[in-house]
Amino acid sequence: MSLRTSPAWGRAALTLSLGIAPLALPTAAYATAFFTDLASAYPGSYAAGGSGGETVGWVDTGTSANAVRWDSSGTITNLHPGSLLGDNSASLALGLVGNTTVGWGYGDSTGGSQHALIWVNGVASDLHPVTVFGDGYSAALGISADGNKIVGYGAGTGLDLIGNGYTGGLLASVAMRWENGFNFVLPVKNLTDAGTPVEWAAALGISGNIAVGQGFLSTTATTSALLWDGGLSTYQLSNLESKALAVDRGDFGLASARTVGVVGTEAYLWSGISGGASLHPTSYLGGGGISEARAIVGNLIVGVGSGANTSNNNHALVWDNGQFYDLHTQLGLGASASSEATSVDSQGYVSGNYTENGAQKAFRVKFSANGAPGSNPTPAPTAVPIPTPEPVATPAPTPEPVATPAPTPEPVATPAPTPEPAATPEPVPDPNPTPEPVATPAPTPEPAATPEPVQNPGPTPAPGPGQNPQSVPEPGTVAIVLVGGGLLVQRLRRRK
């Protein structure tokens, strides 16, 4: 771990964005103070979540993926609960708030099945409710700002699928929530009753009582962004292929909630459930561009994108108060490198990953759009402000019977964090994730199989699934956060 001042602030002149002409040339945005390289002695590292100037994720030990946490100075602590998971084990840390970290792991002690985990002050506990899930699988993917609510997904023989509206059948993944020692299914019954059967779903983020994620709708055969308001109501945020990765301001009620994710191949922002707007910087990324918004706190949104103008390499992106910035360029990363931003906290610390010369490394940097003492940033055109969201029609339920129900999704290894925009991963958790070495950061979940900015959320930037912004592991790619975990595990296992 080393600290170094980020070079070449404002190297790239940000041009048009969202098809709107740039505004006046203001002081270029830049990351203030120090860029913290979270790389370590391990072959690879991957940052998945952050809070309070700290970061969590995982490392590739050469034989397995181990959950880790970096403190504010960049010092790394290995969180892998080997004694809890047993031999042939692997673990990923995906969310962080205060002294609490959440994620998942598996090993001989779990029968090889993926189990949701929670660490409090570094001590791990298994959140997987065996009496409900049995030999099924589960994962904890997001945690609320107060640390009291956790969301993710799970599957098992004891779940009441029909009562909660799920039509996928045995071992279909369902969105889950854990709170104060209890766990319960986030229902989708109102959608099913309205003629929009939901086969499986996963919750990826939570704020207040508002949880967001995605689910597979059998009537339209699409995976759509979903929002749960904490009660019995579930909302479909888009009729198109989409997923909701993070939400903010849920404490102020449904109308105030701001959700980010991806619709089709474009980063997207929803306001409440009434409307949304694309954040995709079309002119900047160029033809064939894809992007994904991964996290949001206040006016800061971070994610990943790629296109013809980036040589189809993933670039970490930041939207601040409606203006777009290419963080990849400001960090001084080369044209052949790829990068992604996976989280941002209330202090402005952005965590993410970059791949250069075949090595994937995690980083953390404090972002500011106003300039820093002692720096002489080069002026860059202000990116186009985010358009005012316009109401989006809620997909009209199709009360027609579905032909043959799609096969029940099976758990898949967690998406390797490959920051390359690619097809949106779908939560199709694999009941028995193969505990093989992860190919991205030792979980570079996609760095080993790095998720990509729009196809498969992962830290390895590249067009298509290779460029699918890694966002949050999804059951389809398992740990839908996180991206490529399974691939990483498989690749690492082959090294044995």
Side-chain angles (χ1 to χ4, degrees), residues 116 126-134 138 159 176 178 183:
D126 193 335
L127 285 177
H128 185 82
V130 178
T131 55
V132 176
F133 292 150
S138 61
L159 290 172
M176 293 292 299
W178 290 265
N183 62 81

Side-chain angles (χ1 to χ4, degrees), residues 243-254:
K243 63 180 173 181
L245 293 170
V247 60
D248 188 37
R249 298 177 181 171
D251 292 328
F252 299 101
L254 184 59

Side-chain angles (χ1 to χ4, degrees), residues 40-304:
S40 63
Y42 297 105
S45 58
Y46 183 77
S51 176
E54 297 192 325
T55 303
V56 294
W58 62 90
V59 294
D60 174 357
T61 66
T63 58
S64 177
N66 282 189
V68 296
R69 178 168 178 160
W70 290 272
D71 66 14
S72 58
S73 70
T75 300
I76 188 172
T77 298
N78 193 318
L79 299 176
H80 183 65
S83 59
L84 176 67
L85 300 176
D87 295 331
N88 302 308
S89 59
S91 60
L92 305 182
L94 306 175
L96 163 70
V97 168
N99 65 349
T100 304
T101 299
V102 297
W104 61 259
Y106 63 79
D108 289 354
S109 295
T110 68
S113 293
Q114 178 180 310
H115 281 198
L117 300 178
I118 182 172
W119 289 263
V120 177
N121 291 320
V123 179
S125 298
D126 193 335
L127 285 177
H128 185 82
V130 178
T131 55
V132 176
F133 292 150
D135 294 330
Y137 54 89
S138 61
L141 308 177
I143 183 170
S144 61
D146 60 10
N148 294 325
K149 305 177 187 68
I150 299 167
V151 293
Y153 63 85
T157 56
L159 290 172
D160 179 8
L161 298 175
I162 296 177
N164 286 296
Y166 292 90
T167 64
L170 186 64
L171 290 181
S173 71
V174 298
M176 293 292 299
R177 176 169 160 179
W178 290 265
E179 183 175 2
N180 297 321
F182 296 93
N183 62 81
F184 55 93
V185 176
L186 290 175
V188 292
K189 190 170 180 60
N190 67 297
L191 291 180
T192 298
D193 288 345
T196 307
V198 179
E199 291 193 11
W200 57 257
L204 311 180
I206 185 168
S207 175
N209 280 317
I210 307 297
V212 298
Q214 64 181 38
F216 183 78
L217 311 180
S218 55
T219 50
T220 56
T222 58
T223 299
S224 296
L226 301 180
L227 180 150
W228 290 268
D229 68 0
L232 298 177
S233 296
T234 306
Y235 301 89
Q236 182 183 349
L237 297 178
S238 174
N239 291 316
L240 305 175
E241 281 288 332
S242 56
K243 63 180 173 181
L245 293 170
V247 60
D248 188 37
R249 298 177 181 171
D251 292 328
F252 299 101
L254 184 59
S256 298
R258 301 177 74 226
T259 302
V260 295
V262 59
V263 173
T265 58
E266 300 186 355
Y268 208 81
L269 169 67
W270 287 273
S271 295
I273 58 171
S274 62
S278 172
L279 299 176
H280 186 70
T282 304
S283 298
Y284 183 80
L285 294 177
I290 55 180
S291 60
E292 183 173 283
R294 305 279 187 72
I296 177 173
V297 170
N299 293 317
L300 278 176
I301 298 171
V302 301
V304 62

